[in-house]
Amino acid sequence: MTTQTALLLLTTETPLHAGAGQSVAGIDLPIQREVHTDWPCVYGSAVKGALRAHAHHLSYGKEDLTDLFGPDHAAAAGERDSSHAGALLVGDALLLALPVRSLQSCFKWVTCPAALQRFGRTAARLGLGLGLPTAPIPARDEALGNGDAKLFLEEFRFKQSASPITDALAKTLAGLSGGALEATSLHERLVIVHDDIFSFLARNATAVNAHIAIDAATKTVKEGALWYEETLPPETLLYVPLSANASRRKGSALNATQVLARFEQLLHAEKNWLQLGGNETTGMGWCRVGINKAQQKGA
């Protein structure tokens, strides 16, 4: 079977809430996180569901939806012959860089060597030769950026040193972003910190907002209608590994190349926005998506 692969780079343009469905440490609605790193993520099932909903809103036909994402559970229930997997294999949206408040500018894009290494490994697995340089691990009080000066991120102070790695990374990410990012802006704001510092920021630099429901008659908060919700901030950078196989639907002749081409039409360059996560009626979850195809792989 021939497989086509691509890497999706997502840049959030509004707050994003992909809920974990449980309460944690006073947060009623926390976001999804990886178990081993505790870094924010969006599970592949949620990404795939958002893509399917996006295709539905664009009036994709039933056959196209079945080719790409598989049949609806309701349609496949009790129909063993018509049940099959979709041709698209959608991975988790993993964290690459987190926007963090800074005294030097409105914010900084913060990443770490561990996140960059995993990003590079994922790109290599998908057949993308990004050629990213290996980032050294800074000391806990140091950061790699675009200048030789003190750097303030939240309550942390760092000794910042200029590094050609951030310049190369800025150019690469701008080219992968589908028009969402500019190399100049990335170069000015991108910093690399120690893995432990990044993990602390990933746990504590997200937004937690209070939500209430007002009683129309009394104009006071309804009893029990106060909750706290966590979100990823705008400008967060995530990436999604994507693979395409030939369609498994009976009667379909779409091969992997055609499946990926049909998927690309969902997020073409002139309109490559996707709404992901919850609270879509309040404008949350909008992301700009860059689709970066790899060379064909044969198996």
Side-chain angles (χ1 to χ4, degrees), residues 4 29 66 73 75 103 110 114 135-136 142 151 157 183 185 241 254 285 290-291:
Q4 293 287 330
L29 298 175
T66 303
H73 288 295
L103 291 178
V110 182
E142 296 179 348
L151 172 67
R157 183 177 67 177
S185 179
L254 290 182
I291 303 177

Side-chain angles (χ1 to χ4, degrees), residues 11-263:
T11 305
T12 63
E13 298 198 347
T14 61
L16 188 154
H17 174 78
Q22 58 187 8
S23 178
V24 176
I27 302 175
D28 300 292
L29 298 175
I31 57 177
Q32 297 170 3
R33 292 178 177 273
E34 297 177 341
V35 173
H36 65 302
T37 64
D38 208 25
W39 296 354
C41 68
V42 182
Y43 300 148
S45 57
V47 179
K48 185 177 180 181
L51 290 170
R52 185 179 190 123
H54 186 60
H56 176 74
H57 293 325
L58 293 180
S59 300
Y60 268 44
K62 180 179 179 181
E63 291 185 350
D64 282 330
L65 291 173
T66 303
D67 284 331
L68 296 180
F69 305 105
D72 287 331
H73 288 295
E79 301 179 20
R80 186 183 299 270
D81 292 339
S82 65
S83 181
H84 61 82
L88 287 178
L89 286 67
V90 183
D92 295 343
L94 304 175
L95 181 64
L96 177 59
L98 186 71
V100 178
R101 291 179 298 180
S102 172
L103 291 178
Q104 276 81 5
S105 62
C106 53
F107 72 93
K108 294 287 187 181
W109 274 297
V110 182
T111 187
C112 69
L116 293 174
Q117 289 169 9
R118 183 165 64 174
F119 177 66
R121 292 196 306 268
T122 300
R125 173 170 59 85
L126 297 173
L128 277 76
L130 299 183
L132 293 176
T134 301
I137 301 178
R140 285 179 172 81
D141 62 345
E142 296 179 348
L144 303 179
N146 69 337
D148 299 311
K150 293 180 180 178
L151 172 67
F152 293 88
L153 299 173
E154 295 286 350
E155 67 267 35
F156 293 102
R157 183 177 67 177
F158 302 91
K159 294 178 290 185
Q160 184 179 208
S161 58
S163 171
I165 293 175
T166 56
D167 184 44
L169 183 60
K171 293 177 181 177
T172 298
L173 294 181
L176 299 175
S177 68
L181 305 172
E182 295 181 354
T184 301
S185 179
L186 271 169
H187 178 60
E188 291 177 352
R189 296 175 179 172
L190 188 63
V191 294
I192 302 172
V193 299
H194 191 279
D195 296 341
D196 294 346
I197 298 296
F198 182 77
S199 292
F200 179 89
L201 293 172
R203 285 191 296 268
N204 298 284
T206 56
V208 178
N209 300 310
H211 291 255
I212 59 173
I214 299 294
D215 187 296
T218 65
K219 298 300 181 182
T220 59
V221 178
K222 291 182 179 180
E223 184 177 355
L226 168 64
W227 70 95
Y228 291 89
E229 180 179 274
E230 185 180 19
T231 58
L232 276 175
E235 315 294 345
T236 301
L237 303 186
L238 306 162
Y239 61 96
V240 179
L242 183 78
S243 298
N245 294 321
S247 174
R248 298 178 174 90
R249 180 176 60 85
K250 286 185 178 181
S252 175
L254 290 182
N255 59 32
T257 301
Q258 294 168 326
V259 167
L260 187 56
R262 192 72 180 101
F263 168 77

Side-chain angles (χ1 to χ4, degrees), residues 271-282:
K271 198 171 183 180
N272 57 343
W273 287 274
L274 174 70
Q275 198 165 24
L276 186 61
N279 299 332
E280 64 179 20
T281 59
T282 56

